[in-house]
Amino acid sequence: DIQMTQSPSSLSASVGDRVTITCRASQSINIYLNWYQQKAGTAPKLLIYSASSLESGVPSRFRGSGSGTDFTLTISSLQPEDFATYFCQQSYSIPRYTFGQGTKLEIK
Amino acid sequence: QVQLVESGGGVVQPGRSLRLSCAASGFTFSSYGMHWVRQAPGKGLDWVAFIDYDEGKKYYVDSVKGRFIIYRDNSKNTLYLHMNSLRVEDTAVYYCARDQYYYDRRDFDYWGLGTLVTVSS
């Protein structure tokens, strides 16, 4: 099974900050990496698919990059509504699409 | 608009069974594969099972193989997860999610709100 490791597990930041979350796969997954945002008590929401493609309706301050084993999610200027937990997901191993453990983004 | 609505969760004793449902609307249900994903309280997301659009293929995470059954009724636009021999560690919110598979795109583009399953004596 492909293991996904996110770092950091938690992160404190302020409105307006630029933040980066990293996701590493245990083997190459090409560009098959997705990012989801989950707010407390709600379902995950797709932000980025295929490593760098922005899902419709998602603000352009979210950017994904990477390929192979190393990927990043960058939020260019944090907004109050961005404080949430973020999960990466590999979609290389069809259809067993495993997730990273999550990164909780909190207000400093 | 696309909607997925889960139901059927509740409190159940270890060893008992439970059936979850996911009612789909706003899209051609019979054209999409579907997944179940679960999230234990305070934990991350765990993929549980997948069924393709016509039930030709089904896949499960190892921890539920032989205990859970995923199936669908395309005439009713509904996805199911029949859970047998439930264990305390199956306690989680269970989400259904639509499989988006198109060229280089493979993701879960829509999710339901989830239904809570609590396995406890």
Side-chain angles (χ1 to χ4, degrees), chain A:
Chain A
D1 289 0
I2 299 174
Q3 309 300 320
M4 307 302 295
T5 304
Q6 285 182 238
S7 60
S9 296
S10 63
L11 176 60
S12 294
S14 302
V15 173
D17 284 354
R18 177 188 178 95
V19 299
T20 298
I21 299 169
T22 297
C23 183
R24 175 165 287 176
S26 59
Q27 66 179 72
S28 177
I29 56 171
N30 199 332
I31 61 163
Y32 298 111
L33 190 284
N34 309 310
W35 291 98
Y36 298 84
Q37 176 194 64
Q38 186 179 32
K39 297 182 181 179
T42 69
K45 172 188 171 184
L46 177 66
L47 298 177
I48 303 283
Y49 62 90
S50 304
S52 60
S53 296
L54 198 65
E55 173 69 337
S56 176
V58 174
S60 59
R61 62 181 179 273
F62 291 92
R63 189 173 77 87
S65 63
S67 66
T69 60
D70 294 313
F71 302 84
T72 58
L73 172 69
T74 300
I75 310 172
S76 59
S77 178
L78 274 173
Q79 298 302 300
E81 61 268 29
D82 299 337
F83 292 94
T85 300
Y86 293 84
F87 294 92
C88 64
Q89 177 200 39
Q90 65 81 17
S91 53
Y92 179 85
S93 180
I94 301 169
R96 296 179 174 88
Y97 297 167
T98 49
F99 295 87
Q101 82 276 18
T103 296
K104 187 172 184 178
L105 178 54
E106 298 174 304
I107 301 175
K108 185 183 288 184

Side-chain angles (χ1 to χ4, degrees), chain B residues 37-112:
Chain B
V37 177
R38 67 185 179 183
Q39 187 171 36
K43 302 297 184 182
L45 299 167
D46 292 316
W47 173 81
V48 174
F50 168 79
I51 186 168
D52 70 359
Y53 68 100
D54 66 355
E55 292 196 286
K57 295 179 182 177
K58 302 178 184 182
Y59 299 86
Y60 302 90
V61 68
D62 286 348
S63 59
V64 309
K65 272 182 193 173
R67 299 190 299 124
F68 289 12
I69 301 170
I70 187 172
Y71 61 103
R72 63 193 295 162
D73 186 338
N74 286 343
S75 69
K76 296 182 178 179
N77 291 339
T78 303
L79 171 73
Y80 301 97
L81 185 68
H82 195 98
M83 304 183 294
N84 297 311
S85 303
L86 281 162
R87 304 168 180 169
V88 171
E89 55 265 34
D90 295 320
T91 294
V93 174
Y94 284 73
Y95 297 101
C96 62
R98 190 176 82 167
D99 182 73
Q100 180 61 259
Y101 188 101
Y102 185 77
Y103 289 104
D104 275 341
R105 177 171 182 170
R106 308 171 189 173
D107 54 74
F108 299 173
D109 60 349
Y110 287 94
W111 297 62

